[in-house]
Amino acid sequence: MGEKAMYSQISYPTPATAVLTITDAGPLNVLSTPVIRALTAQLGELAENSELHCLVLRGSGSRAFIAGADIKEMAALTASTGRAFISALRDLCNAVRHFPVPVIVRLEGHTLGGGLELAMAGDLRIAADDAVVGMPEVKVGIPSVIHAAMMPAQIGAARAAWLLLTGENIPATQAQQWGLINECVPRDRLDERILEIAAGLAQIGPVVLRQQKRLLRRWECMTVDAAIDDSIAEFGEAFKTGEPQHHMNAFLERKNKRS
């Protein structure tokens, strides 16, 4: 059995939605080097699926999405192997950030450290209302790095400082109030709600969905004025796909029928 098959499982609730489940990574779905490499490779293959409208990323079981990186492996790292380890985790997070369609991250139980960084790399974070998130790296002698750098922009400097400097966990409901999580739902409704969101994304034209995600990533690296100017050409390009005409005319037809 190959690494990808060992550490991940793919299912398709619909042809437009793929669910990538982390497997064989222990009860808390910790990120070791083999798990990181396997997931990165799997994401690369899934990115080639032109039928997808969204990807759901989740852990196995109910105890954690991902409870962080593998402490046993990290305890033996040196300066050079440490850089290699964190570079691989960066590549995994970037594979999610730049995945061509929206990524919904399913949060249940604990989401900590590298697991929260991976969740932040996704586009939508939907959590069970009894879930917990945190960045506890400082408590084991290392700084929070790579995609933790996104945290001040996402939730503000004061809140980011609290999480990164204290290493304390917070409830998912508080994380939602801070803007770190999009939505909290009762645990028994978590999968139902995620599939509802996925079904909504499946109704959106595939070209514009991918175009909007590309714009979101580009805007992160631009000034507001540059992003505004950049988007003008993208708006024009959208009309070459036929999707605006299709969806706008369908809207007008529904409106006329109600009149």
Side-chain angles (χ1 to χ4, degrees):
M1 182 182 294
E3 275 191 347
K4 287 183 292 183
M6 178 182 293
Y7 295 115
S8 66
Q9 178 180 331
I10 301 171
S11 60
Y12 292 89
T14 72
T17 302
V19 178
L20 177 60
T21 303
I22 301 164
T23 62
D24 305 301
L28 297 177
N29 301 310
V30 296
L31 294 173
S32 63
T33 293
V35 174
I36 290 169
R37 288 175 176 166
L39 291 174
T40 304
Q42 191 68 81
L43 285 162
E45 291 189 11
L46 284 167
E48 299 299 318
N49 185 341
S50 61
E51 293 187 23
L52 285 185
H53 286 238
C54 79
L55 171 69
V56 178
L57 181 60
R58 59 163 297 166
S60 297
S62 60
R63 293 180 60 186
F65 164 57
I66 296 170
D70 188 344
I71 294 290
K72 290 182 180 179
E73 181 176 355
M74 289 196 297
L77 293 175
T78 64
S80 60
T81 59
R83 285 191 292 270
F85 178 87
I86 204 66
S87 294
L89 182 53
R90 173 203 59 198
D91 293 345
L92 172 58
C93 291
N94 279 339
V96 171
R97 274 188 72 227
H98 297 287
F99 197 77
V101 296
V103 178
I104 303 172
V105 185
R106 179 191 185 277
L107 305 181
E108 184 176 9
H110 284 73
T111 297
L112 306 176
L116 185 52
E117 291 169 30
L118 185 59
M120 289 171 61
D123 301 289
L124 303 173
R125 288 166 290 283
I126 311 300
D129 56 12
D130 58 353
V132 172
V133 303
M135 298 292 288
E137 284 92 337
V138 290
K139 292 188 174 183
V140 293
I142 54 174
S144 296
V145 292
I146 55 171
H147 290 65
M150 298 167 59
M151 194 169 281
Q154 285 197 1
I155 65 174
R159 290 165 173 170
W162 174 265
L163 287 172
L164 298 176
L165 293 175
T166 69
E168 297 293 331
N169 298 337
I170 61 172
T173 50
Q174 184 176 350
Q176 182 186 14
Q177 293 169 1
W178 285 9
L180 191 56
I181 287 173
N182 296 87
E183 191 173 325
C184 291
V185 298
R187 184 187 290 231
D188 61 2
R189 283 207 65 237
L190 183 57
D191 292 321
E192 176 187 355
R193 178 57 183 145
I194 287 171
L195 289 179
E196 286 175 356
I197 297 168
L201 292 170
Q203 298 303 309
I204 298 171
V207 177
V208 72
L209 199 59
R210 291 165 184 254
Q211 183 183 34
Q212 189 66 73
K213 175 150 183 182
R214 286 197 308 273
L215 281 169
L216 283 169
R217 293 291 84 82
R218 289 219 302 264
W219 291 344
E220 292 171 350
C221 305
M222 294 180 171
T223 65
V224 173
D225 285 339
I228 290 169
D229 290 341
D230 174 67
S231 65
I232 290 173
E234 291 284 351
F235 184 82
E237 287 296 310
F239 285 87
K240 294 180 179 179
T241 70
E243 286 185 4
Q245 296 89 335
H246 170 75
H247 288 284
M248 291 179 187
N249 285 322
F251 170 81
L252 292 172
E253 287 178 11
R254 291 192 299 271
K255 184 179 179 180
N256 289 335
K257 287 179 181 178
R258 290 195 296 267
S259 299

